Structure formats: C-alpha cells, structure tokens
Amino acid sequence: MSADTIYLDYAATAPVLPEVAARMGEVLAMRLGNPSSSHASGHAALQLIDAARAQVAALLGAEAADIVFTSGATESNNLAIAGTARAQLARSGKAHVVTLATEHKSVLEPVRALAGASIAVTVLRPDAEGVLQPEALAAALRPETGLVSLLHVNNETGTAQDLTALASVCAQHGVPLHIDAAQSAGKLPLRVDGLALLSISAHKLAGPQGIGALYVAPEHRGRLLPQMLGSSHERGLRAGTLATHQIVGFGLACELAAARHHTESARLVSLRERLWQGLADLPGVLRNGRPGAPHILNLSFPGVEGESLYQGLPQLCLATGSACNSRSGEPSFVLRALGRDTEAAQSSLRFSLGHGTTAADIDIAIAAVRQVHQRLWSASPARPAPLTAAGQWWLGEAGAERLGTWVRFALRAEDGVIREALAQCYGCPHTAATCNLLCERLPGHRLEALDQGTPESWRQNVQAPIEKLGRMLIIEDALNALRPAS
C-alpha cells in the first residue's frame, strides 16, 4: 500500500497495531518450546498462552477456561455449527439449524453442507434494514432445533442484531445460540451471558491474521464434536500445536481493544457520519442496512456502473462487498436479501474505518467519490444526449442498465460525413474505453460506410477479457441502431 493510498477496508482486515507487532516479535525471539511439552521451555510458552487466553476472555466477559483457540472466525464458525449439529444428530437421530440469509459465508456454507447430510436447515430473511425480528426467529424454532447461528454485526452493511432480544427467544425455547462477533468484538458492548457459542478473529481487532477463538459455554461443551482431529489440544475440541506468538498478539489486541473501546467507538461513529453526510446528497444514493457498527458504512449509487465507480477510486482501499466475495463480479447476496435490485447491489461500496482513519482521510474520500460519481453520472444514458451544436444529429442506443451495459451514440453529420461523435455510457471501464476509442475514430467517415472494426478487435484494442465481448456487441448494436434525431 503506497503512502498516498487511504485504507478504508478495516472490516476485511485491520492492519496490525505497532504494539501488537512489537510484542509478537519479542515472543518469536524467545527460546520457547511446544506449549504441550512438559519441560521448562514448554511451560514458558504455556504461561504466555494462559495469559493471552485470559485477555481474550476478559474482552467477552467470559472465563478463560471457556476460550478455545482456532485459526480464525471461519474455523470457529465451522466448529460451532457443524460440531453442534453433528453431535445432536449422533445423539438423537435428527437435528435442525436456523440461520439468516445475510450471514457470512463461513456460516452459510457449513449450513448448506449440513443440509446435504440429513440435517434440517432453515434460512430466514431479514427485514429491509437487515434486522431479524424476534418473532420471526421464534416462529422458525422447532422441538428438534439444536442451534441458532447469527452474525452480531453484518460484515457488509454494519447492521447489528438485537442480541438481548434474540437470546431471550432462544432461552425461552431452550435452543443454544451461536454468535459470530468478528465485526463487533471490541467495537460494541459484548458479553457472552446467555450464549452457547461465540466466534471472534484477531485480525479484525488489529491483531495478527490466522488466529481466532471460539467461546464455548460450560454447559454446551458436551454438545460439541471436534472438527479437527489429531490430538487432545484445547480440551479435545481442536487439534494442532498452538501458535504462541500469534496467540500472544491476539491477547494484546483484545486487551487494547477493551481499554480503548468507548473512546474509539465514539470517534469512529463521528467519522462514519462525517462520511455519510459528505455523500448523502449525491443523486439516488442509498444507505444500506440500519446503522449499527461504528466502523462500517455501505452505500449504493444507482445510475452509475459499479465496476467503473470502484476502478475510478484507486487511491482508496475499500470493498464492493465482503472481502470474500468482492472479486466474483456477482452482486452482493446480502444487499439482494435486503431488497436491493442487481444494479443497486453492484454499485455498492463498503467503507470500513479503524484505528488509522483520520478526518482528513474521510474528507479526501468524500472528494474522490464525488468526483468520480459526477463524471459517471454526467455521462449516463439516463440523461438526455448533449446535442449542443447545430446540425444534423444521428442517435443510436442499445442495452439497458439492468444488463450492466447501456450505450448511446450521438453523431453530428454534414453532407453524410461525421463531424462530431459523442457517447454516453453506463458500463465497465472497458466499455467506456471502447466508446471513447470509437468517438475518436468516427469523425471524417461517411455515415453509410461505417467501418470501425469488429467487437473482437475493439476488445483486443482495450485489452478487455474475453468475457467482456458481450458488452462490445452491445456497442455494435448501438452503432447499427443509428437514426436521425427527431
């Protein structure tokens, strides 16, 4: 990341705090043994791990003995969900899991796998703000329901669920509740009271990547089958030698997050709202989800194409959805579940803030987004063609916003010769580059003898991937549709 780049992707991963990195370096320099070994070097490592386990537990209001170290929240979620459901199936011959359609994929994918293994699954839909209403959860519970698994804070929208109300529903029905708190730990008030299981990850707290934890309530321990086998580490729930330096860094990150929680959360809320107020007046902008987590703001910009918007902001490190999904090119399933159409979902940006974010960063981000939005919005075919000069104009249009590509050409001709070519484009950067290329080439050519190459030659000229050929065909359709303007 260059010095000129502004990092606004803390929900994907928070850069490690200097204090944490320094402490991990100190531990790596120690002559430590395997914490499972019985010699002095092993005991030294174990003492460091025990201290870190207590730091993690303190952040959650838990007992240290109830913390199981994992490789991160993804593994914690898999252990919590699959471990509970398979234990119930083995115990009673049937099992039922309830979750929400807007969960992280580390919840949804294990749940789908369970559905293929004779375990009943219910996936609920949230309301338009991303909130699961307690009565909807209550209606989904059955006598055989063995687990409800929910995100506390959605990783894309920042929407926070009402844990107190949802935990009360589960308690009334005697159903264990698992919470993925990767985005809320250290940012919102959080206690494990009333929960059976809770997942967190160090790198969301400005700790190291590759380490996390699962809180397991004492009464739930016997209802959980390990998913990683090979030894009796972590009270038999997770095999594998513990990574001492990572765990120590995790523990310190939790301690620092707990100490700074109130002041840092208030600061992030102020910055988040500063960002929103700086963009709220853009045409059609939508705020996705109910404001909850202090560090996440998700906005959709209908009327501008999402890839062009994102690619126009190289100085900002942000996301078009969750980090696990942003490279797929598919519209966010979370935003679709909230009722956003494909175009609004694809034009979304997730801004996530953290310990290094400043007011100056926010102001630069506002200016950058506004500039790119203005450029794309002014070039949109949704606006009338800019026919300012006198003369005979010809118009040709093809595609639609719902198709991801919408192009309009406006050509001014004199005696059948093109003198000026303009293009309006809703599309990806390759589509826009092709339209610009044609606008440079068309003047001087006769209308009845347009020969500006083929869609394949345009694709190669702008170095577009083969999957963009369909967008080149829409450009060709727009040229073929040229007719005199009325």
Side-chain angles (χ1 to χ4, degrees):
M1 186 169 65
S2 71
D4 297 330
T5 302
I6 295 174
Y7 190 79
L8 297 173
D9 202 18
Y10 283 83
T13 194
V16 177
L17 285 166
E19 307 97 301
V20 173
R23 181 57 179 150
M24 291 176 65
E26 292 171 0
V27 174
L28 283 169
M30 296 177 182
R31 293 174 59 86
L32 296 174
N34 188 316
S36 297
S37 299
S38 58
H39 49 62
S41 292
H43 282 307
L46 183 59
Q47 286 178 341
L48 292 172
I49 288 171
D50 287 344
R53 199 185 300 273
Q55 290 170 311
V56 175
L59 178 66
L60 308 176
E63 296 295 326
D66 300 329
I67 300 298
V68 174
F69 286 118
T70 66
S71 63
T74 291
E75 184 189 338
S76 295
N77 289 344
N78 276 261
L79 173 57
I81 296 166
T84 299
R86 288 170 178 160
Q88 183 190 9
L89 186 66
R91 188 171 60 250
S92 64
K94 57 183 178 180
H96 177 229
V97 177
V98 177
T99 190
L100 195 60
T102 51
E103 296 299 298
H104 191 273
K105 286 191 173 182
S106 63
V107 169
L108 294 177
E109 292 299 327
V111 166
R112 288 194 185 100
L114 293 175
S118 303
I119 294 174
V121 167
T122 298
V123 180
L124 301 173
R125 295 188 70 85
D127 64 20
E129 292 187 311
V131 176
L132 174 60
Q133 298 299 329
E135 54 270 23
L137 175 59
L141 300 181
R142 310 175 188 173
E144 67 272 22
T145 303
L147 186 70
V148 172
S149 180
L150 301 170
L151 275 170
H152 185 193
V153 165
N154 186 272
N155 54 295
E156 289 195 37
T157 64
T159 298
Q161 301 296 340
D162 185 346
L163 287 194
T164 301
L166 298 173
S168 177
V169 170
C170 290
Q172 290 170 17
H173 291 79
V175 176
L177 175 60
H178 164 241
I179 292 297
D180 179 344
Q183 294 292 348
S184 60
K187 299 177 181 69
L188 291 176
L190 185 64
R191 309 288 290 182
V192 297
D193 301 336
L195 304 181
L197 301 150
L198 182 142
S199 304
I200 61 172
S201 196
H203 74 106
K204 309 297 188 180
L205 291 161
Q209 296 176 353
I211 187 70
L214 178 67
Y215 161 78
V216 183
E219 62 272 17
H220 194 78
R221 191 175 297 276
R223 303 179 182 179
L224 192 63
L225 286 178
Q227 300 303 295
M228 185 178 292
L229 306 176
S231 69
S232 59
H233 296 109
E234 295 302 275
R235 298 163 185 82
L237 289 176
R238 199 268 189 182
T241 301
L242 296 175
T244 305
H245 67 292
Q246 287 181 294
I247 290 173
V248 169
F250 184 14
L252 180 56
C254 287
E255 182 178 287
L256 293 173
R260 301 169 181 176
H261 163 244
H262 294 294
T263 56
E264 181 65 359
S265 291
R267 188 183 74 88
L268 293 178
V269 167
S270 177
L271 292 176
R272 184 195 68 192
E273 293 309 301
R274 184 188 187 108
L275 178 58
W276 166 236
Q277 293 304 318
L279 300 174
D281 66 333
L282 291 176
V285 65
L286 300 170
R287 186 170 186 170
N288 296 312
R290 177 186 294 179
H295 65 304
I296 297 176
L297 176 67
N298 190 301
L299 303 177
S300 288
F301 301 88
V304 300
E305 198 272 336
E307 185 182 350
S308 289
L309 177 63
Y310 181 74
Q311 293 295 332
L313 298 166
Q315 70 274 52
L316 304 182
C317 291
L318 39 72
T320 56
S322 74
C324 302
N325 198 48
S326 59
R327 294 185 185 272
S328 72
E330 296 298 318
S332 162
F333 71 90
V334 171
L335 300 187
R336 294 288 283 141
L338 301 189
R340 299 295 189 224
D341 61 22
T342 298
E343 293 73 44
Q346 287 181 324
S347 71
S348 68
L349 296 176
R350 182 191 68 182
F351 306 84
S352 51
L353 322 178
H355 59 82
T357 310
T358 66
D361 293 337
I362 296 299
D363 292 342
I364 292 171
I366 290 170
V369 173
R370 293 186 72 90
Q371 181 180 27
V372 174
H373 187 277
Q374 171 60 28
R375 173 172 59 81
L376 296 175
W377 183 260
S378 63
S380 171
R383 301 164 65 87
L387 310 181
T388 55
Q392 177 62 59
W393 285 89
W394 292 63
L395 298 179
E397 183 177 318
E401 187 174 330
R402 63 180 176 79
L403 299 176
T405 302
W406 181 13
V407 173
R408 179 190 294 134
F409 284 99
L411 308 182
R412 183 173 62 85
E414 295 176 1
D415 300 325
V417 176
I418 300 170
R419 301 302 181 189
E420 184 179 1
L422 304 174
Q424 294 170 288
C425 173
Y426 173 97
C428 70
H430 294 108
T431 305
T434 302
C435 290
N436 292 336
L437 175 69
L438 290 169
C439 285
E440 293 174 0
R441 290 182 175 180
L442 287 170
H445 290 260
R446 299 194 64 83
L447 274 168
E448 68 271 16
L450 286 181
D451 183 15
Q452 292 304 303
T454 65
E456 174 58 21
S457 69
W458 304 335
R459 183 190 71 79
Q460 294 182 19
N461 197 288
V462 299
Q463 298 181 324
I466 187 65
E467 57 265 25
K468 297 288 183 76
L469 182 59
R471 305 187 185 204
M472 305 295 123
L473 294 172
I474 290 176
I475 295 174
E476 182 182 52
D477 290 343
L479 290 174
N480 291 336
L482 285 166
R483 300 291 185 275
S486 57

